[in-house]
Amino acid sequence: MNFDLDDDQHAFAAGARDFFRGSASPAAARAGLEGGALEPGRKSLADIGFLGITVPESAGGSGRPLLDLAVVAEQGGAVLAGPSLVTAARAAVLLADAPDLAAQLADGSTAFAVLDGSVEGSAPSVDAADATLFLGLDGGALVVGEGEVVPGRPLDATRGLASVRLTSRRVLAEDAGELWARARQVGAVVMAAEDLGGADRCVQLGVAYAQEREAFGRRIGSYQAIKHLLVDAWVGVEQLRSLVWWAAWAADCNPAELPLAASAAKACAATTFERAASTLIQVHGGIGFTWEHDAHLFWRRAKVDRLLLGDEAEHLDAVARLAVSGALGA
Amino acid sequence: MDFDDSPDEAEYRSRVRAALQQHADELLRLAPGQEAVDARLQEAEMRRTQRVLHDAGLVGVTWPREYGGQGGSLLEQAIVGQELARFRVPALINHIGMGMCGPTVIGHGSQDQRDRYLARLLRADDVWCQLFSEPASGSDLAALRTTAVRDGDDWVVNGQKVWTTLAHVSDYGILLTRTDPEKPKHAGLTMFVVDMHAPGVTVRPLRQMGGQSDFNEVFFDDVRIPDSERLGEPGEGWRVALTTLMNERVTIGGAGSAIGSPVEEFARHAKERLPELDADRQVLARQAVGRAVVAALGARYTGYRRLTVLSQGGIPGPEASAGKLAGTEAAHLMADAGVRLLGDDAVYAATADGDDRWQRTQSWLPGISIAGGTDQVLRNILGERVLGLPSEPRLDKTAPFSAGRSDGGTR
Ligand SMILES: Cc1cc2nc3c(=O)[nH]c(=O)nc-3n(C[C@H](O)[C@H](O)[C@H](O)COP(=O)(O)OP(=O)(O)OC[C@H]3O[C@@H](n4cnc5c(N)ncnc54)[C@H](O)[C@@H]3O)c2cc1C
């Protein structure tokens, strides 16, 4: 047994961290709420190759495992990067038999979004707000088409949420229910990875502030009420990291375990990120409640992500059903 | 990343399985639904079980060969742990000896002590206990009052220990005492090996909230301990105790082993019980089951990550406390859901057909949040030693212990 990233993956993570720190930030997420563009944006992500990590080499991608993508996604999550690698990962699964479209996904020449719910009027879907080509499930068939986009007022602008009604459609595959489900599970794993990055960053920022801010003649981190909040958030992050890695590994190496692992990771991500972000605000006191402070940008991401690709209740239910039907093994 | 056994690990695992099969008749095994055995009732069988396992090479896997161990790896140890659980062998009678006392003797004992004690400990020829906590010092262990006073070649011990697990069946214990009350509290302590059969040692059982009696109070009245039974130098007892405590936190939930029932067993229980609930209750119960399974899997895979780091030569550090916290939380969630799945029987101490495993677990878990470092103390350790947060201001670290005694130090 060996449950750790390998040297390549560690190097990959370090490279991704540098890239994302230089190209995205909570400040950009704040600007997004007032109409600013997503950072780093689709083109930069395509140029550095992140949109094609799991796209086959024959279609212009790198043909790497999902775990590599998850490691990168965590770094993007730490700075609230957009668009989401969830879309890239999910579309790569759906476009496995459509290499021309997969190539446009990888090189960023087409802005894809994957629609949740009905193609006649979708649920709010990630990265749909500025997408031009949509993938959806239409009565069991995988379809691609153009659409009419209806964004809502954003709670978290970095997710680019919008509802879409397809105005044209072409069938890519009949009977695509299973493929669709797997793509959604893969998307859930990547979103959990982005949430992991965000939650981890919240703990780091909270710890840093608790080490310097003083009240009643002591640094606030010496008060157990603050210390224990941060510890609980950190312990949660460590559990989430394990579940994200396991789920990504399952997608690559043990697909039978993916449904359980993906739901476990996504359910854990929902509560862990929310708790970490709330903790970040609370530890900061008044300054943490201001528009100028970054805390609310993580909080916004957490409040939105917990409901996307299935909320906690849906995934807990899935975990329970799978566990009682033997998914844990003997 | 790879969760499968390597060829070497697979071969080792099959050897372990074969050894268990071969000795099946000589081993104590848990009945379906049973999660522990009572050392008070089955001491002889428990000692025999550990001896048989030892002679089959399955005890002390990571210990040096010169002390009766196998000189094996942590992963081999983990494999043995998994296979013992699969084979329904209950926790070994000397789990405290192996987890805490033995490593302390290895780390701080004389060669003579190691030679005399360790191999016998692994075979459960001698059972060991840990005599640290006292009525007035649990979390604040260094506030302990049991005294040891030098008298010729001996030390004379007086005082009381409490919550001492397995003291009623123990032959030896590691005993933390105060030898210099004029020093600050952490500086005046000394550790000994004490013979539990020595004159002046009295063990009285204490009954736990669930009704069982796994722990005791232990009285020391003019008990003589030869100086050769000291562990470490006089005044160095705190450093020696830290070895024990670090091992304790690794032992409890540190490397992916479940605290309480394994999640697979919980899932089987849920499978049996869910269909018997009303439809609308099933929806709610599945939420609780899912939450418990997610927590258990999170703790398990985090344990695998720790195990990977340790097996590649990493040093066990304070992060182990996170494993105990998360494992305890998962165990609480499983026990709570496990009991509630029983429907009307959840308000009784057992089901109508006498099955009490979930109720017993429920009434045993509060102790796990206390034993081996309370949840709060573990959070302090993690906050200060892992996250680097400032410690609390302390008033008790520098003054002589005798000056801080609420009774004026006159006892
Ligand atoms: C099942 C069981 C088995 C045990 N087995 C053994 C054994 O074999 N050998 C042995 O020596 N001991 C044993 N113990 C004792 C155990 O180590 C102590 O009970 C434990 O350390 C707590 O000490 P205490 O009971 O004195 O509680 P206290 O230390 O008095 O704690 C009371 C409460 O105060 C809180 N508290 C204390 N200090 C702090 C702090 N600094 N910050 C925040 N909160 C704090 C605690 O978290 C707790 O909630 C066992 C206990 C149990 C329950």
Side-chain angles (χ1 to χ4, degrees), chain A residues 224 228, chain B residues 96 130-135 137-140 162-165 215 367-368 370-377 380 392:
Chain A
Q224 289 188 7
H228 292 190
Chain B
I96 292 190
Q130 176 188 350
L131 298 147
F132 282 20
S133 303
E134 298 185 9
S137 63
S139 303
D140 187 7
V162 74
W163 324 129
T164 318
T165 305
F215 61 26
I368 293 295
I370 297 167
T374 68
D375 289 353
Q376 289 70 37
V377 165
N380 289 345
E392 287 175 275

Coordinates of all heavy atoms in Angstrom, one line a residue, chain A residues 224 228, chain B residues 96 130-135 137-140 162-165 215 367-368 370-377 380 392, ligand 1:
Chain A
Q224 N -8.8 29.1 23.7 CA -9.2 27.8 23.2 C -10.4 27.9 22.3 O -10.6 27.1 21.3 CB -9.5 26.8 24.3 CG -8.3 26.4 25.0 CD -8.6 25.3 26.0 OE1 -9.7 24.8 26.1 NE2 -7.6 24.9 26.8
H228 N -9.6 25.9 19.1 CA -10.4 24.7 18.8 C -11.2 24.8 17.5 O -11.4 23.8 16.7 CB -11.2 24.3 20.0 CG -10.4 23.8 21.1 ND1 -10.9 23.2 22.3 CD2 -9.1 23.9 21.4 CE1 -10.0 22.9 23.1 NE2 -8.8 23.3 22.6
Chain B
I96 N -2.1 -2.6 26.3 CA -1.5 -1.4 26.9 C 0.0 -1.7 27.1 O 0.8 -0.8 26.9 CB -2.2 -1.1 28.3 CG1 -3.6 -0.7 28.0 CG2 -1.4 -0.1 29.1 CD1 -4.3 -0.1 29.1
Q130 N -0.7 0.9 33.0 CA 0.0 2.2 32.9 C -0.6 3.0 34.1 O -1.8 3.3 34.2 CB -0.4 2.9 31.6 CG 0.0 4.3 31.5 CD -0.5 4.9 30.2 OE1 -1.1 4.2 29.4 NE2 -0.4 6.2 30.0
L131 N 0.3 3.3 35.1 CA -0.2 3.9 36.3 C 0.2 5.4 36.3 O 1.2 5.8 36.9 CB 0.5 3.2 37.5 CG 0.1 1.7 37.7 CD1 1.2 0.9 38.2 CD2 -1.2 1.6 38.5
F132 N -0.6 6.2 35.6 CA -0.3 7.6 35.5 C -1.3 8.5 36.2 O -1.0 9.2 37.1 CB -0.3 8.0 34.0 CG 1.0 7.6 33.3 CD1 1.9 6.7 33.7 CD2 1.3 8.3 32.1 CE1 3.0 6.3 33.0 CE2 2.5 8.0 31.4 CZ 3.3 7.0 31.8
S133 N -2.6 8.3 35.8 CA -3.6 9.2 36.3 C -3.9 9.1 37.8 O -3.8 8.0 38.3 CB -5.0 9.0 35.6 OG -4.8 9.1 34.2
E134 N -4.2 10.2 38.4 CA -4.6 10.2 39.9 C -5.9 11.0 40.0 O -6.3 11.7 39.1 CB -3.4 10.8 40.7 CG -2.1 10.0 40.6 CD -1.0 10.6 41.5 OE1 -1.4 11.5 42.3 OE2 0.1 10.2 41.3
P135 N -6.4 10.9 41.2 CA -7.7 11.6 41.5 C -7.5 13.1 41.2 O -8.5 13.7 40.6 CB -8.0 11.4 42.9 CG -7.4 10.0 43.2 CD -6.1 10.0 42.4
S137 N -5.0 14.5 39.2 CA -4.2 14.8 38.1 C -4.5 13.8 36.9 O -4.1 12.7 37.0 CB -2.7 14.7 38.4 OG -2.4 13.5 38.8
G138 N -5.2 14.3 35.9 CA -5.5 13.5 34.7 C -4.9 14.2 33.5 O -3.8 13.9 33.1
S139 N -5.7 15.1 33.0 CA -5.1 15.9 31.9 C -3.8 16.6 32.4 O -2.8 16.6 31.6 CB -6.1 17.0 31.5 OG -7.3 16.4 31.1
D140 N -3.9 17.2 33.5 CA -2.7 17.8 34.1 C -1.9 16.8 34.8 O -1.7 16.8 36.1 CB -3.2 18.9 35.1 CG -2.0 19.8 35.6 OD1 -0.9 19.6 35.1 OD2 -2.3 20.6 36.5
V162 N -5.6 6.1 39.6 CA -7.0 5.8 39.3 C -7.2 5.6 37.8 O -6.4 6.1 37.1 CB -7.9 6.9 40.0 CG1 -7.8 8.2 39.2 CG2 -9.3 6.5 40.1
W163 N -8.3 5.0 37.5 CA -8.7 4.7 36.1 C -7.7 3.8 35.4 O -7.4 3.8 34.2 CB -8.8 6.0 35.2 CG -9.4 7.2 35.9 CD1 -8.8 8.4 35.8 CD2 -10.6 7.3 36.6 NE1 -9.6 9.3 36.5 CE2 -10.7 8.7 37.0 CE3 -11.6 6.4 37.0 CZ2 -11.7 9.2 37.8 CZ3 -12.6 6.9 37.7 CH2 -12.7 8.3 38.1
T164 N -7.0 2.9 36.2 CA -5.9 2.1 35.7 C -6.5 0.9 35.0 O -6.9 -0.1 35.7 CB -5.0 1.7 36.8 OG1 -4.7 2.8 37.7 CG2 -3.7 1.2 36.2
T165 N -6.6 0.9 33.7 CA -7.1 -0.2 32.9 C -6.2 -1.4 33.1 O -5.0 -1.3 33.1 CB -7.1 0.2 31.4 OG1 -7.8 1.4 31.2 CG2 -7.7 -0.8 30.5
F215 N -11.5 -0.8 34.4 CA -10.4 -0.1 35.1 C -10.6 -0.1 36.6 O -11.6 -0.6 37.1 CB -10.3 1.3 34.5 CG -11.4 2.3 34.6 CD1 -12.4 2.2 35.5 CD2 -11.5 3.3 33.7 CE1 -13.5 3.1 35.6 CE2 -12.6 4.3 33.7 CZ -13.5 4.1 34.7
G367 N -16.0 7.2 27.1 CA -14.7 7.0 27.7 C -13.6 7.2 26.7 O -12.5 7.6 27.1
I368 N -13.8 6.9 25.4 CA -12.8 7.1 24.4 C -12.5 8.6 24.2 O -11.4 9.0 23.8 CB -13.2 6.4 23.1 CG1 -13.2 4.9 23.3 CG2 -12.3 6.8 22.0 CD1 -11.9 4.3 23.6
I370 N -12.2 10.6 26.5 CA -11.5 11.0 27.7 C -10.2 10.3 27.8 O -9.1 10.9 28.1 CB -12.4 10.7 29.0 CG1 -13.7 11.5 28.9 CG2 -11.6 11.0 30.2 CD1 -14.7 11.0 29.9
A371 N -10.2 9.0 27.6 CA -8.9 8.2 27.8 C -7.8 8.6 26.8 O -8.1 8.9 25.7 CB -9.2 6.7 27.6
G372 N -6.6 8.6 27.3 CA -5.5 8.8 26.4 C -5.4 10.2 25.8 O -5.0 10.5 24.7
G373 N -5.9 11.2 26.6 CA -6.0 12.6 26.2 C -7.4 12.9 25.8 O -7.9 12.3 24.9
T374 N -8.0 13.8 26.5 CA -9.4 14.2 26.2 C -9.5 14.9 24.9 O -8.5 15.4 24.4 CB -10.0 15.1 27.3 OG1 -9.4 16.4 27.2 CG2 -9.9 14.5 28.7
D375 N -10.7 14.9 24.3 CA -10.8 15.7 23.0 C -10.3 17.1 23.1 O -9.7 17.6 22.2 CB -12.3 15.7 22.7 CG -12.9 14.4 22.3 OD1 -12.1 13.4 22.1 OD2 -14.1 14.3 22.1
Q376 N -10.5 17.7 24.3 CA -10.1 19.1 24.4 C -8.5 19.2 24.5 O -7.9 20.1 23.8 CB -10.7 19.7 25.7 CG -12.1 20.0 25.6 CD -13.0 18.7 25.6 OE1 -12.6 17.8 26.3 NE2 -14.0 18.7 24.9
V377 N -7.9 18.3 25.2 CA -6.5 18.3 25.3 C -5.8 18.0 24.0 O -4.8 18.7 23.6 CB -6.0 17.3 26.4 CG1 -4.5 17.0 26.3 CG2 -6.4 17.9 27.8
N380 N -5.9 21.1 22.0 CA -4.8 22.0 22.4 C -3.4 21.6 21.7 O -2.7 22.4 21.2 CB -4.6 22.0 23.9 CG -5.8 22.7 24.6 OD1 -6.6 23.4 24.0 ND2 -5.9 22.5 25.9
E392 N -1.5 28.7 25.9 CA -2.2 29.6 26.9 C -1.1 30.0 27.9 O -0.2 29.3 28.2 CB -3.2 28.7 27.6 CG -4.4 28.5 26.8 CD -5.4 27.6 27.5 OE1 -5.2 26.4 27.4 OE2 -6.3 28.1 28.1
Ligands
LIG1 C1 -11.8 4.3 29.8 C2 -10.7 4.9 30.4 C3 -9.5 4.2 30.6 C4 -8.4 4.9 31.2 N1 -7.2 4.1 31.4 C5 -6.2 4.7 32.0 C6 -5.0 4.0 32.3 O1 -4.9 2.8 32.0 N2 -4.0 4.6 33.0 C7 -4.0 5.9 33.3 O2 -3.1 6.4 33.9 N3 -5.1 6.6 33.1 C8 -6.2 6.1 32.4 N4 -7.3 6.8 32.2 C9 -7.4 8.2 32.7 C10 -7.4 9.3 31.6 O3 -6.1 9.4 31.1 C11 -7.9 10.6 32.3 O4 -9.2 10.4 32.6 C12 -7.8 11.7 31.3 O5 -6.5 12.1 31.1 C13 -8.6 13.0 31.9 O6 -8.2 13.2 33.2 P1 -9.3 13.5 34.3 O7 -10.2 12.3 34.3 O8 -8.6 13.8 35.5 O9 -10.2 14.7 33.8 P2 -9.7 16.2 33.9 O10 -8.3 16.4 33.5 O11 -10.1 16.7 35.3 O12 -10.7 16.9 32.8 C14 -12.0 17.3 33.1 C15 -12.5 18.1 31.9 O13 -11.6 19.3 31.8 C16 -11.1 19.4 30.5 N5 -9.8 20.0 30.6 C17 -8.7 19.7 31.4 N6 -7.6 20.4 31.1 C18 -8.0 21.1 30.1 C19 -7.2 22.1 29.3 N7 -6.0 22.4 29.5 N8 -7.9 22.7 28.3 C20 -9.2 22.4 28.0 N9 -9.9 21.5 28.7 C21 -9.3 20.9 29.7 C22 -11.1 18.0 30.0 O14 -11.1 17.9 28.6 C23 -12.3 17.4 30.6 O15 -13.4 17.7 29.8 C24 -8.5 6.2 31.6 C25 -9.6 6.9 31.4 C26 -10.7 6.3 30.8 C27 -12.0 7.1 30.7

